[in-house]
Amino acid sequence: GSFVGGLVGTNSGTLSESSFTGSVTGSNYIGGLVGYNDVSKTISKSYSTGSVTGSNYIGGLVGFNNGLVDNTYSNVDVTGVDSVGGLIGKSDHSTTDVSKSYSTGSVSGTLRVGGFIGENPIGCSASFWNLQTSGQSTDSCASGKTSLLMKTQSTFTNAGWDFSNTWKMPSNNKGPPCLKWEQN
């Protein structure tokens, strides 16, 4: 069906310190964590891993975002048709803000495909996607980085990420940052 997420179909509040690992499949508004993030609602300090497959508005973390997304990441292989992104399929609203987030999974689609956000007329800040693992060379707002730079803390601290309270580098030094609340 539609409006499907690994954890939440439609977010109508605040979602924080949440995660989902697994496969999510549907048709439209499909996300690894949330299918649809409602107007002015918040997703923060959360992540998803696994795979997401659908048709339109397909994202590794959120299928369609109309709210706030900050301090999040997705390591999700994303497959769709239109508005397909490593973190978000489509982000669209005057109050939308996406910041301090990244994606590292593979991304494939036909129309409006991005390494980070598939369709994004609004913009984002201090966010990244992995050029090598995504298979995507462009994005409408985030900065593409190599796998090596995605494992380098200064890539993120230079963009203002908080490694005192929110983020940490993995104990095995083999990956990009993870959230401090995670067991690692």
Side-chain angles (χ1 to χ4, degrees):
S2 296
F3 300 96
V4 178
L7 187 63
V8 176
T10 299
N11 179 39
S12 298
T14 298
L15 188 63
S16 183
E17 296 187 8
S18 301
S19 66
F20 176 80
T21 298
S23 297
V24 182
T25 303
S27 55
N28 303 308
Y29 305 96
I30 312 300
L33 189 70
V34 175
Y36 180 84
N37 191 34
D38 211 346
V39 176
S40 300
K41 303 311 176 193
T42 302
I43 300 170
S44 68
K45 298 180 184 173
S46 299
Y47 71 92
S48 56
T49 61
S51 65
V52 175
T53 305
S55 293
N56 305 311
Y57 312 118
I58 312 302
L61 187 78
V62 180
F64 194 106
N65 177 46
N66 263 333
L68 308 172
V69 176
D70 74 321
N71 293 298
T72 64
Y73 73 89
S74 70
N75 182 9
V76 175
D77 294 329
V78 183
T79 305
V81 177
D82 189 1
S83 298
V84 182
L87 190 82
I88 298 172
K90 181 175 181 176
S91 195
D92 183 30
H93 191 267
S94 61
T95 60
T96 293
D97 184 26
V98 179
S99 65
K100 296 181 178 114
S101 298
Y102 73 84
S103 61
T104 59
S106 66
V107 181
S108 62
T110 306
L111 300 167
R112 292 178 280 268
V113 179
F116 187 70
I117 297 179
E119 184 179 357
N120 184 28
I122 304 300
C124 62
S125 62
S127 296
F128 307 96
W129 92 93
N130 188 312
L131 285 163
Q132 294 171 285
T133 58
S134 70
Q136 298 298 318
S137 59
T138 61
D139 189 80
S140 58
C141 72
S143 298
K145 300 294 181 186
T146 64
S147 294
L148 179 61
L149 288 175
M150 292 292 289
K151 297 176 185 178
T152 306
Q153 184 172 330
S154 62
T155 298
F156 304 93
T157 55
N158 290 343
W161 289 38
D162 181 357
F163 277 82
S164 296
N165 301 301
T166 305
W167 295 95
K168 66 180 180 177
M169 294 307 287
S171 55
N172 62 11
N173 293 324
K174 292 191 179 206
C178 54
L179 294 158
K180 279 198 126 173
W181 66 264
E182 291 180 63
Q183 294 296 321
N184 186 320

